[in-house]
Amino acid sequence: MLRSLRALPTLLRVGLAEAVAYRAEFLVWLLSTNMPLVMLALWTAVAREAPVGRFGQRDFVAYYLATLFVRLMTGAWVIWELNMEIRQGTLAFRLLRPVHPLLAYACENVAAMPLRLAISTPVVALLVVTAGSHLTRDPLLLALFPLTVIGGWLITFLAMAVIGALAFWVESATSLFDLWLGLFGVFSGYLVPLELFPRWVGATARILPFRYMLGFPVELLVGLVDRRRALLELAVQWTWVAALLFLALGAWRAGARRFAAYGG
Amino acid sequence: MLRYLRLLGVQFRASLAVAMQYRVEFVVEGLLGLFWAFWSLVPLLVLFQHRPSVAGWSFPEALVVIGWFALMKGVLEGAVNPSLQSVVEHIRKGTLDFVLLKPADAQFLVSTAKFEPWRVIDLAGALAIFGWAFHLLGRWPTPGHVAASLLLLACAAWILYSLWILVVSAAFFVVKVDNLSFLFSSIFDAARWPASVFRGAWRLVFTFVVPLALMTTYPAEALLGRLAPGRGLSALAGAAAFGWFARVVWTRSIRRYTSASS
């Protein structure tokens, strides 16, 4: 444990160096997060005539720019790395190191944070300028916001780790992940704010993990949830984090043993 | 010409043989494809729950656009993506030399290297969506409109393919491009909406830079019988221009390519 902690700064440094080295790939990855902007264009066009539910044009601007920001900050790509490394067997190198592979992956992700922040700064600036009045003013909610973003990233990362670990057993872990992504699109509020769905969809989304990866921080920031509800949902979010952490560690322990078995 | 057709036949049979080895995957992926075709309707359903029409498109008319979207997605993922994914792999490993040395056009060879035949199920999904849309409209397209839309489909596929060639050419310059295909599909996702919904800068981008309007909106309008002939012709010209541009970029990139070993 202590040894892992001592390795942290180095892991972070390596991660940052990698993110900087593969700038083009990083940029492509960022550009592929363009969906909120398309939806922004779509829904503001729809809201031009009359507001949709309680969403006017400005509300949609605030919602989707916040979505873009949270998505940029919470994205992870560990599943594709995992899939490749398990198939090609290069995971063995990671397993030899005295640091838990999941921790190493997490560090690589976290290390790209400065770059991500740099890229999201214009988004935040745009958000504050064009729709600043639609953001929450409540200091408690604003203080909770970073916590919800961290929770969102943890759920994203850990879910990827769990599904990625399935590659130890089945061939098509990535098509399973496609399924996950599809559900995410609808139940997280990524494509459409959950409020605009029929009521039961929103109720279902409050139980599933997807909303806590994205929709919850966004709704909190644009002032769609009150204090009591925010605290309650924060608890749900971190329960999901704990559950997924437990699952991920379990899947990894079992999977790594199996990997060693057929890797020889 | 005949030789290339035969070559296409050979490559396609090889892909089919590979696909038939994994029959379970064939069925599972096919069913998933159908699931996605209908899942892509969700935002549309939400949108039209709040409005009877958006930017001059009623719900059944927008459904026709989604139908073309499902169809083009099938073309993209069944015929274009797999081959070109393998080019990217070739470039990275430096094995493209083997392709370049063969006595046939390299662009042809790389773009027919692999098909995923189970994507034909997407066609079924698209037809179901068309059926539903025209059932709601209470009329059926005339043979002339169908022919026009099929012609535009060919244009659309051609543009899609040319765009992909451009993306792949980028792989010669930026080596690590596994996720270029991601970027591409994420942009293509916007094609599920009628182009007239977008305004200002987005409309310019989606008409001229990434001609999504040509890919789904125009064929849909043709099928609905409301596409002006002039716009149809401009789509043809646009497709030709795009194909030519992609070809030029491709030959330039090929010339720049030095294998990993040399």
Side-chain angles (χ1 to χ4, degrees), chain B residues 167-221:
Chain B
V167 171
V168 169
S169 302
F172 287 98
F173 301 90
V174 213
V175 179
K176 213 178 167 199
V177 282
D178 321 29
N179 51 14
L180 267 184
S181 61
F182 250 130
L183 176 62
F184 192 76
S185 11
S186 74
I187 292 173
F188 181 67
D189 246 359
R192 73 172 83 175
W193 304 102
S196 57
V197 170
F198 298 107
R199 272 157 217 266
W202 280 112
R203 183 181 280 186
L204 286 181
V205 169
F206 289 151
T207 314
F208 297 108
V209 186
V210 190
L212 295 179
L214 265 60
M215 286 187 226
T216 55
T217 310
Y218 282 24
E221 284 180 323

Side-chain angles (χ1 to χ4, degrees), chain B:
Chain B
M1 191 62 204
L2 197 67
R3 186 165 144 262
Y4 278 98
L5 273 180
R6 246 198 337 258
L7 210 52
L8 184 66
V10 171
Q11 304 250 51
F12 189 76
R13 266 205 306 282
S15 294
L16 195 63
V18 172
M20 290 320 279
Q21 283 179 344
Y22 304 97
R23 256 159 283 184
V24 177
E25 204 187 348
F26 191 97
V27 174
V28 170
E29 296 277 349
L31 289 178
L32 271 181
L34 273 188
F35 172 75
W36 287 133
F38 288 101
W39 196 247
S40 68
L41 293 175
V42 172
L44 191 82
L45 290 172
V46 175
L47 181 60
F48 282 97
Q49 216 174 35
H50 294 274
R51 284 293 141 78
S53 85
V54 175
W57 290 77
S58 68
F59 176 65
E61 288 168 340
L63 263 184
V64 177
V65 178
I66 292 258
W68 284 110
F69 174 74
L71 195 64
M72 289 310 292
K73 195 135 180 124
V75 173
L76 175 69
E77 287 175 1
V80 184
N81 252 344
S83 316
L84 297 180
Q85 200 74 48
S86 65
V87 192
V88 171
E89 196 64 14
H90 272 311
I91 296 172
R92 215 175 51 183
K93 292 188 183 158
T95 48
L96 193 68
D97 309 32
F98 301 132
V99 178
L100 294 179
L101 284 173
K102 283 181 187 157
D105 184 67
Q107 188 181 344
F108 176 82
L109 280 179
V110 298
S111 35
T112 55
K114 200 173 166 223
F115 295 95
E116 294 195 352
W118 42 261
R119 279 287 166 188
V120 289
I121 297 184
D122 282 357
L123 179 66
L127 287 179
I129 293 176
F130 286 143
W132 184 24
F134 281 98
H135 171 75
L136 287 179
L137 281 172
R139 62 184 170 89
W140 295 95
T142 65
H145 292 156
V146 173
S149 62
L150 284 179
L151 184 65
L152 283 170
L153 168 71
C155 285
W158 185 247
I159 292 173
L160 193 63
Y161 166 72
S162 306
L163 275 175
W164 233 124
I165 285 286
L166 288 174
V167 171
V168 169
S169 302
F172 287 98
F173 301 90
V174 213
V175 179
K176 213 178 167 199
V177 282
D178 321 29
N179 51 14
L180 267 184
S181 61
F182 250 130
L183 176 62
F184 192 76
S185 11
S186 74
I187 292 173
F188 181 67
D189 246 359
R192 73 172 83 175
W193 304 102
S196 57
V197 170
F198 298 107
R199 272 157 217 266
W202 280 112
R203 183 181 280 186
L204 286 181
V205 169
F206 289 151
T207 314
F208 297 108
V209 186
V210 190
L212 295 179
L214 265 60
M215 286 187 226
T216 55
T217 310
Y218 282 24
E221 284 180 323
L223 200 59
L224 290 165
R226 52 186 246 191
L227 184 74
R231 282 169 75 204
L233 287 176
S234 70
L236 285 178
F242 243 85
W244 172 79
F245 180 62
R247 176 77 191 174
V248 170
V249 172
W250 166 262
T251 41
R252 288 261 165 101
S253 317
I254 279 286
R255 223 174 291 149
R256 226 188 91 106
Y257 169 79
T258 50
S259 71
S261 51
S262 57

Side-chain angles (χ1 to χ4, degrees), chain A residues 15 18-19 25-26 29-30 72 74-83 105 108-113 116 153 156-157 160 177, chain B residues 176 179 182:
Chain A
E18 266 186 12
E25 182 176 62
F26 195 77
W29 176 79
L30 285 172
L72 285 175
T74 58
W77 50 84
V78 62
I79 181 122
W80 293 280
E81 274 179 324
L82 260 179
N83 192 48
Y105 284 124
E108 282 170 25
N109 269 228
V110 172
M113 213 49 96
R116 291 193 203 187
W153 175 74
T156 309
F157 178 82
M160 277 189 171
F177 187 70
Chain B
K176 213 178 167 199
N179 51 14
F182 250 130

Side-chain angles (χ1 to χ4, degrees), chain A residues 20-55:
Chain A
V20 174
Y22 293 115
R23 287 180 296 267
E25 182 176 62
F26 195 77
L27 195 69
V28 166
W29 176 79
L30 285 172
L31 285 176
S32 61
T33 316
N34 55 15
M35 188 53 109
L37 291 178
V38 172
M39 296 312 276
L40 172 75
L42 181 79
W43 284 101
T44 48
V46 173
R48 184 169 291 133
E49 298 151 24
V52 185
R54 56 168 157 159
F55 282 84

Side-chain angles (χ1 to χ4, degrees), chain A residues 58-59 62 130-137 221-223:
Chain A
R58 288 272 151 155
D59 297 292
T130 57
S133 57
H134 289 260
L135 301 182
T136 180
R137 295 286 151 118
L221 186 64
V222 299

Side-chain angles (χ1 to χ4, degrees), chain A residues 155-215:
Chain A
I155 294 179
T156 309
F157 178 82
L158 290 170
M160 277 189 171
V162 172
I163 298 177
L166 291 179
F168 286 118
W169 290 275
V170 293
E171 274 283 299
S172 47
T174 41
S175 59
L176 203 68
F177 187 70
D178 282 343
L179 204 63
W180 169 276
L181 270 186
L183 294 174
F184 168 82
V186 169
F187 286 109
S188 68
Y190 186 48
L191 295 177
V192 181
L194 283 164
E195 267 201 25
L196 302 182
F197 280 102
R199 199 170 282 273
W200 64 268
V201 178
T204 316
R206 269 178 230 290
I207 306 165
L208 297 172
F210 308 106
R211 179 168 173 271
Y212 300 98
M213 296 162 68
L214 184 77

